Amino acid sequence: MEDVDTPRPWTRTQLWVLLLIPLAYYAGAVFGVRATVMPEGTAILWPPNSALLAGLLLLGFRSAFILVPLCLFAEVAADLPTFTLEQAVAFGTINAFEALLAYSLLRAVGFDRRLSTPADVRKFLVLAVGVAPLFSAIPGAAMYALLRDATVPYLEYVRVWWFGDALGLLVFTPLWLALAQGRQAWRRERPYRGSDWLVLALVPLSLVLLLASQAGRLGGLPFTPLLLLPVAIGVASRFPLPVVSVAVALLATTVLVVLTQGFHPFGTLSAQDAVLAAQEFVLIVAVVPLGLSALLSRLRHQRAQLMNTTARLAELNRDLEARVRERTASLDALNAEWQRQAMLDPLTGLANRRAFYQQAEAAFHERMRHKIPLALILIDIDHFKQVNDRHGHAVGDQVLRAVAMRMAAVSRPEDTLARYGGEEFAVIAQHVDLSGAERLAQRLWEVVRQSPVEIGDGRSLQVSISVGVAACRPDLCDLEELVRRADEALYRAKEGGRDAVVLAP
């Protein structure tokens, strides 16, 4: 429950509550004396204590030092026409004790004055409606026994006080608490519809029918006040607690006024039976809608929480999906880069031997489908071992990179130029026959020989290559056979003195 007892200056709203609670207490006392007491003196319902309890729940215990004296003064003002000053003060003191006890019990169990959950309704019914009036009924009944007919059993006075006060707290405390809430508490999640207003209109209509009934009958048909219960339930199922509390108060007080004014809404009963029937009606017509309203409020709150949780989960799911897509794209890009790196020679940046064979397989598959010509060129750098031995492997790496760059510059986009191994290179040339492959090989040979390779410190090396060329035969050709023939042509080029291009037969 909200901690309203923390010392702080009174707000304007709280000052208004301090002023209105004693007025409500006085009005309740006058109403209780004049409208809820049977001619023989039996009180059906006592409303004023609900105002003091509501004030304490709204303002906290520190307000008791202001509210209790003011409400005691209101009690005396309302009771003086009927009781002496001493008796009025005694009754007022007992009523103040009842409200303070109810407030203390509710505060001890963490009661929420909005009555928005079944647990809070249960606490209110047991402690404020059940326990507190019973404890005040013990001294209150003793006062009645001294003032009234001593032939009435003491326990009967206890029952009259207990039930009257309990029903007053039950009917009017939720009403005062509801009236003190802001306008937001009177609204609900979805807009009101015509059917809602129709149900609410049944409240005054049912009261008119009740006033028109006589001795529990209307137009010759039975009409008991319990028939108003479905109306209260209908209101509780469609409206928030503030509206429900107003409807319950109207239904309960109208039945009591009709009964105390000499009508017989429950049929022809003895005075005692009529009082019991009225109290049973008030108990039912208040507890059922109050509990139903709290239950539905709890369900609506849980549904709103569920919807918020579902929306949050959907948002998190969308965020997760976006992250997964982003991570998947990143992994795909990284995987593609890894695959690309796995297919490249790290020194020259050309395709490696693995990539060469993949491209060669794809080229052979394309040749088989479309009968296109295909050639293979194998290249070997002449005397490369001597370069490494004389100048070191760093210079050897420079030579490999320079040769690779120059050959890549004159290769066609559709050709696959790869580092075949060590100082060997290979070219898969598609859409060319042997003569076309020879022209490509000559360009490769020439571009390497055109200029020496700069190796630093103003030095350069003249580099040459030996080239073997083979093309697929029209009748039969596979990769192994093509590599073998190109390798034989390369061998003849090196055997013939190197720095030459040799064609396979």
Side-chain angles (χ1 to χ4, degrees):
M1 186 177 71
E2 179 186 357
D3 187 4
V4 294
D5 289 333
T6 303
R8 60 172 67 93
W10 297 104
T11 65
R12 179 177 299 180
T13 301
Q14 291 173 326
L15 291 174
W16 273 108
V17 172
L18 284 173
L19 175 64
L20 293 176
I21 289 299
L23 296 178
Y25 189 99
Y26 175 78
V30 172
F31 177 79
V33 171
R34 299 182 181 179
T36 70
V37 176
M38 296 291 286
E40 65 278 7
T42 304
I44 304 175
L45 177 145
W46 185 247
N49 297 354
S50 62
L52 180 53
L53 175 58
L56 294 171
L57 291 172
L58 290 170
L59 302 177
F61 183 76
R62 63 172 180 158
S63 65
F65 299 99
I66 301 175
L67 289 179
V68 169
L70 291 177
C71 290
L72 184 60
F73 178 78
E75 174 91 24
V76 171
D79 289 351
L80 277 182
T82 308
F83 302 100
T84 65
L85 176 62
E86 293 78 7
Q87 294 168 345
V89 171
F91 285 133
T93 302
I94 296 172
N95 288 332
F97 163 76
E98 177 182 299
L100 287 169
L101 176 61
Y103 168 76
S104 300
L105 293 174
L106 291 176
R107 183 171 176 78
V109 296
F111 172 74
D112 188 337
R113 64 173 180 258
R114 291 172 296 183
L115 285 169
S116 56
T117 66
D120 289 313
V121 172
R122 183 172 61 252
K123 295 171 185 176
F124 176 71
L125 293 177
V126 172
L127 300 177
V129 177
V131 175
L134 175 60
F135 275 87
S136 69
I138 295 173
M143 288 287 299
Y144 262 119
L146 293 174
L147 298 175
R148 294 185 177 274
D149 189 358
T151 60
V152 177
Y154 169 73
L155 292 181
E156 178 62 19
Y157 283 123
V158 171
R159 186 197 65 79
V160 170
W161 184 292
W162 182 17
F163 284 16
D165 282 22
L167 294 178
L169 292 171
L170 173 62
V171 172
F172 290 100
T173 304
L175 175 63
W176 304 132
L177 294 176
L179 293 176
Q181 296 185 47
R183 286 182 293 179
Q184 187 63 33
W186 296 72
R187 301 171 182 170
R188 63 178 184 179
E189 295 83 359
R190 63 176 179 84
Y192 291 115
R193 296 179 295 194
S195 58
D196 300 323
W197 299 116
L198 178 61
V199 170
L200 191 62
L202 292 177
V203 174
L205 177 62
S206 61
L207 295 179
V208 170
L209 295 177
L210 178 65
L211 293 174
S213 65
Q214 294 181 356
R217 304 186 70 83
L218 179 64
L221 298 175
F223 187 83
T224 172
L226 283 178
L227 295 176
L228 304 181
L229 179 59
V231 177
I233 293 176
V235 174
S237 65
R238 292 172 176 266
F239 291 88
L241 180 64
V243 179
V244 176
S245 61
V246 172
V248 167
L250 284 174
L251 293 173
T253 55
T254 301
V255 169
L256 297 182
V257 169
V258 168
L259 180 63
T260 56
Q261 297 304 311
F263 295 89
H264 302 281
F266 299 98
T268 304
L269 300 174
S270 65
Q272 184 176 6
D273 291 339
V275 169
L276 289 175
Q279 290 178 333
E280 289 174 356
F281 165 77
V282 173
L283 180 65
I284 295 173
V285 85
V287 170
V288 174
L290 187 64
L292 178 61
S293 177
L295 177 61
L296 294 178
S297 175
R298 183 63 175 174
L299 292 176
R300 285 191 290 267
H301 178 70
Q302 291 177 341
R303 183 179 64 179
Q305 285 185 322
L306 179 60
M307 293 177 63
N308 290 336
T309 302
T310 302
R312 178 58 180 162
L313 287 176
E315 180 182 352
L316 292 175
N317 186 57
R318 289 192 297 269
D319 182 65
L320 180 60
E321 289 178 349
R323 290 173 179 267
V324 169
R325 287 194 298 269
E326 181 181 349
R327 183 62 58 86
T328 301
S330 176
L331 290 176
D332 289 344
L334 185 59
N335 186 54
E337 178 62 20
W338 285 344
Q339 290 182 350
R340 189 183 72 83
Q341 293 293 337
M343 305 295 282
L344 292 180
D345 173 56
L347 179 63
T348 63
L350 300 180
N352 59 18
R353 188 185 186 95
R354 178 184 176 188
F356 166 78
Y357 273 102
Q358 284 190 0
Q359 293 295 327
E361 292 288 349
F364 267 87
H365 181 72
E366 188 74 9
R367 177 186 179 276
M368 294 295 295
R369 290 184 57 192
H370 302 289
K371 307 299 181 182
I372 60 175
L374 183 66
L376 172 63
I377 303 172
L378 292 180
I379 303 145
D380 189 85
I381 300 177
D382 295 335
H383 307 294
F384 184 73
K385 184 176 183 302
Q386 296 178 14
V387 174
N388 280 333
D389 292 342
R390 293 178 182 178
H391 303 284
H393 289 281
V395 172
D397 290 345
Q398 283 184 272
V399 171
L400 288 172
R401 285 193 293 266
V403 171
M405 290 176 60
R406 291 172 185 180
M407 291 192 299
V410 298
S411 297
R412 303 177 306 164
E414 61 268 29
D415 296 335
T416 299
L417 174 61
R419 185 182 178 189
Y420 196 65
E423 68 275 18
E424 289 186 291
F425 297 87
V427 178
I428 290 289
Q430 293 181 276
H431 303 282
V432 294
D433 54 13
L434 186 60
S435 61
E438 181 184 12
R439 290 191 295 272
L440 175 58
Q442 288 290 340
R443 290 200 303 272
L444 296 174
W445 175 73
E446 290 174 357
V447 76
V448 173
R449 295 185 79 254
Q450 279 179 353
S451 59
V453 177
E454 300 293 335
I455 60 173
D457 297 331
R459 297 179 298 160
S460 62
L461 289 177
Q462 183 64 47
V463 180
S464 65
I465 59 175
S466 298
V467 184
V469 183
C472 282
R473 294 165 178 164
D475 54 345
L476 178 63
C477 185
D478 60 37
L479 179 59
E480 183 179 352
E481 187 263 345
L482 187 62
V483 170
R484 181 186 61 78
R485 290 171 53 218
D487 191 58
E488 289 177 353
L490 176 62
Y491 179 78
R492 291 199 304 271
K494 291 192 287 185
E495 284 291 313
R498 292 184 171 84
D499 193 17
V501 175
V502 175
L503 303 181

